[in-house]
Amino acid sequence: MGPGKALELLMKSILLHIGFSQVRSDNRYIFDGTAGQMIQGLGDAHNADVLLEPPVQTPFYTPTRLLIECKDYCYPVSLNVLRSALGLREDINHFEIVDEEELRVRRQNRRAGIVHNHQRYLYQVAVASTSGFSGPAQNFALSHRIPLIEVNKMPFWEEFYAVARRTYKCTAEMEYHTMMAD
C-alpha cells in the first residue's frame, strides 16, 4: 500500500469517525472494480477514492453524497486537477441509465415519469491534498464550490506521513525481494 492509498484510508476513517457512512456498492450505479469502488458517469465509470454519505440530509431535497479525490503529490495540486474534479462532478451528477427499452418507450411518447425508479443523489466532489493547492487551483475551487482539504496542515500530519512512507518503503522492498527470489 502506497502513501496515496494511506491518504484515502485516512480521509475515510476521519469522516466515518465523525458520523459519515460508507456507500455500499449496488452493482448498478456503484460497483466494485479492479481499481476499487467505481461510480458510473456519462462517459465511463470513475474510481471513487472515498465515497460517503453525510450523517444528516437536508429535508425535502435530493440526498447528497461526498466523493473525495485524494492527491499525494510532491508539489501543490494544480488547476488541471480541479478542472478534472469539476468534470467528474458534472459527469456523475448527470448520469442516467438509458437502454433500448427506454428508447422504445420514449418513441411511443407514453412515459410514466421517471426513467428508472431508483434513489438519486447529488454528488459533491472534494479534493484532498498532501501538498496544498496552487493559487489558480484555489481560485477555481472557490469559484466552482469545490471543497479543498489540505491534509498537510492537520496537526497529526507529520507523524502519520512518516509512518505511511516507512510502511510503503518496507512494502516496496518486500515486493522487490520477493520478485527477485522468483
Side-chain angles (χ1 to χ4, degrees):
M1 171 176 69
K5 185 64 176 174
L7 175 60
E8 292 173 18
L9 294 173
L10 173 68
M11 293 305 307
K12 188 174 192 176
S13 177
I14 290 170
L15 292 169
L16 288 173
H17 184 73
I18 62 171
F20 280 73
S21 58
Q22 190 167 336
V23 173
R24 303 277 179 220
S25 295
D26 62 11
N27 292 321
R28 187 177 214 177
Y29 287 95
I30 312 288
F31 64 95
D32 297 320
T34 55
Q37 195 170 41
M38 306 291 287
I39 182 169
Q40 295 284 5
L42 284 172
D44 208 348
H46 302 275
N47 174 252
D49 291 350
V50 178
L51 181 59
L52 301 168
E53 289 190 21
V56 177
Q57 296 287 349
T58 303
F60 312 113
Y61 190 70
T62 304
T64 60
R65 287 181 170 168
L66 176 62
L67 174 60
I68 303 174
E69 284 292 299
C70 297
K71 303 299 178 192
D72 178 35
Y73 296 161
C74 297
Y75 48 86
V77 170
S78 70
L79 176 59
N80 286 338
V81 171
L82 273 294
R83 286 181 174 149
S84 293
L86 177 63
L88 172 63
R89 185 175 74 193
E90 294 300 309
D91 198 53
I92 61 179
N93 279 321
H94 292 100
F95 176 76
E96 277 296 338
I97 292 178
V98 178
D99 59 10
E100 290 295 322
E101 177 60 20
E102 173 58 27
L103 294 174
R104 186 186 64 72
V105 170
R106 286 181 182 184
R107 281 193 301 270
Q108 293 175 354
N109 201 19
R110 285 185 269 173
R111 289 187 263 174
I114 297 174
V115 176
H116 285 279
N117 188 15
H118 67 277
Q119 178 64 58
R120 286 165 168 71
Y121 294 90
L122 179 63
Y123 290 89
Q124 174 58 283
V125 176
V127 181
S129 170
T130 59
S131 56
F133 299 88
S134 70
Q138 291 178 44
N139 290 337
F140 186 87
L142 183 63
S143 298
H144 293 281
R145 295 183 176 96
I146 300 171
L148 302 179
I149 305 165
E150 292 188 271
V151 183
N152 57 314
K153 292 187 177 176
M154 295 179 179
F156 59 82
W157 177 245
E158 291 302 321
E159 293 83 14
F160 175 82
Y161 201 62
V163 170
R165 284 282 182 207
R166 269 197 311 275
T167 303
Y168 174 70
K169 183 180 178 197
C170 292
T171 304
E173 286 175 3
M174 286 173 32
E175 289 172 359
Y176 173 76
H177 291 298
T178 303
M179 183 180 70
M180 295 306 287
D182 289 341

